[in-house]
Amino acid sequence: MCGIVGYVGDRDAAPIIVDALVRLEYRGYDSAGVATIHEGKLYVAKDAGKLTEGGEPTELQRKLRSLPGKIGIGHTRWATHGDPNEVNAHPHVDCEERIAVVHNGIIENFMELREELESKGHRFVSDTDTEVVPHLIEEGMKEGKSFFEAFVEAVRKLEGSYAVAAICVDEPDVILAARKESPLVVGLGDGENFLASDIPAILPETNRVIPIDDGEIVVVRKEEVKILDANTLEDVTGSKEVQVVEEDPHKLERGGYPHFMLKEIHEQPEAVAKTLTLERERLFEMAEELVKGDYSRLCIVACGTSYHAGLGGKYATEMIARFPVDVQIASEFRYVTKNLVDEDTLVLAISQSGETADTLAAVREAKERGATTIALTNVVGSTITREVDHVIYTHAGFEKAVAATKTYTAQLAALYLLAVELGRHMGEITDSEAEEYLRELESVPEKLERILSWEMERELAVMGGRYKERPNWFFIGRGPGYPTAMEGALKLKEITYQHAEAYPAGELKHGPLALIEEGVPVVAVVQPGGVYEKMLANVEEVKARGATVISVADESDDIVEEHSDHVIRVPSITEEFSPIVYTVPLQVLAYYMSVARGIDPDYPRNLAKSVTVE
Ligand code: G6P
């Protein structure tokens, strides 16, 4: 939700800021802007629109790049208050155009602050909550305070969430920034320093970063970075750890693929293999610890695709370890289910970004009630990692496309390892059964490679083109096939804008069957195992009513064909782990349908990758 960037040094600021904003565009892309200071004057350029279109720089990008000056801030927006247009785009300025501010988050008390400032003569031009900040700073400076004092005072008046950065022509060598509940990192360079909403934005410039914590203020100059406690103004710089990020910045580029999403789909075998190898020992130890802890329940909280991974984990854990798992959508958990949590509950929060506001809030609620908390995340140093008792990482590498793919399969890999080890430690499966399961997991990367073969991709691309105008889709599954159906439907709606609904196939007769008529596409997840026969019966039910049936089935299945218009064949995998394999062709199908519909799958309308507001 909005990305912010800052630069101060000896190089031209605007191109560096714009390049970082392009890398941050997955956080929001309805408008963008930059402010710089040059020879005592503030320059601001901003507008609605994206910075790149089909991989090429837009007019807006060219305009932003041309601003002069060696210091500046920038913003890419995902609108919360006010339409996406030029006036509402950040940076926002004060009445005299001496101060510029960029902000990510929501200032909840902005109406009161605005009325107060308007009564003192401040003129507002936008509908945004952010615009109060430059005016608050201006008001403080009018009263004789320095830029720093006025900034601190302004920040203390803000309620809600923010990562906010400001520059002022009166002090043209400093960027001031603050954080509360919205991510912010400082990047350390030589004779130059950076600020950004997250690490990948500045990784090609520096790999030495300091994550900023809630309630901190940052003073960034070209030779120095100071971090202060916003309440006491105590200098806490010495207590902050400088992280050295090992990720290869080249991996942040599209690497010959037309879209990040397709590149990330193809990175799944590696993401799964790395997660299985690098997290194995940690998960073994954790399973042991969890069994010793004698918890009465495991509650998984997550949003979006991570929630679907949680459901995949539930089926595997219940089938293998026979341990009850409750999976909750974080935004529901934080207000209702939290009341059922106590010291005997283990809460596992899944969030690829580690920044999702609802998931973080759920973790905080759980901690307050005494639960033990674990995070499963892809981002080292993300907020969630600093709030939980234990962290498990997926090793998927940076994921840029809004629609999650490789982080999903990597999350499943980690959850499956945990399920097997829990099963072993709880005595539900023998050592040799556990080893059998682990061998099955190790075979997953190779199976994904086969699904991602050129022939299979072409088949799915043709299917995507053929059915791209069908407006209503159903995805059905049973057992572990149900989370696969949910994730398949989510991918389709996110990036093709066609309506897609997932149903446990057994529920068809309780409503959705009324909507099945000639030509309605139904994607049926027909994995072999305990529910196979039942699924075939459901496929028959929809087929008899005219549905176009696309089945995802085992490569050796020679029955399902009779009941389906198309069969997407995938390598054999044990039913418990089927989502990690069966979901992948559905990602590819959604991708090609999106492209066939003329949509940019990396930047679906109205969505953002990291949802840092409630
Ligand atoms: C957004 C993204 C989804 C993601 C969800 C949860 O909606 O577009 O791809 O699954 O947030 O994000 P998280 O980072 O918590 O996994």
Side-chain angles (χ1 to χ4, degrees), residues 297 333 337-343 345 347 365-366 369 371:
R297 51 199 289 256
F333 175 94
T337 325
K338 63 176 188 186
N339 298 318
L340 303 177
V341 164
D342 56 22
E343 299 81 19
T345 320
V347 172
E365 292 288 352
R369 285 164 178 75

Side-chain angles (χ1 to χ4, degrees), residues 319 478 480 525-533 535 552-557 570-576 578 582:
M319 289 167 93
R478 284 176 180 257
V525 184
V526 202
Q527 78 279 3
V531 290
Y532 176 76
E533 302 290 340
M535 264 311 293
V552 191
D554 189 277
E555 58 192 359
S556 65
D557 188 327
V570 296
S572 301
I573 177 101
T574 182
E575 183 175 20
E576 293 88 321
S578 59
Y582 280 59

Side-chain angles (χ1 to χ4, degrees), residues 303-306 350-354 356 359 402-404 411 494 608-609 611:
C303 304
T305 292
S306 295
I350 310 178
S351 172
Q352 82 79 20
S353 63
T356 302
T359 311
V402 166
Q411 285 165 350
E494 275 178 308
K609 177 109 191 125
V611 183

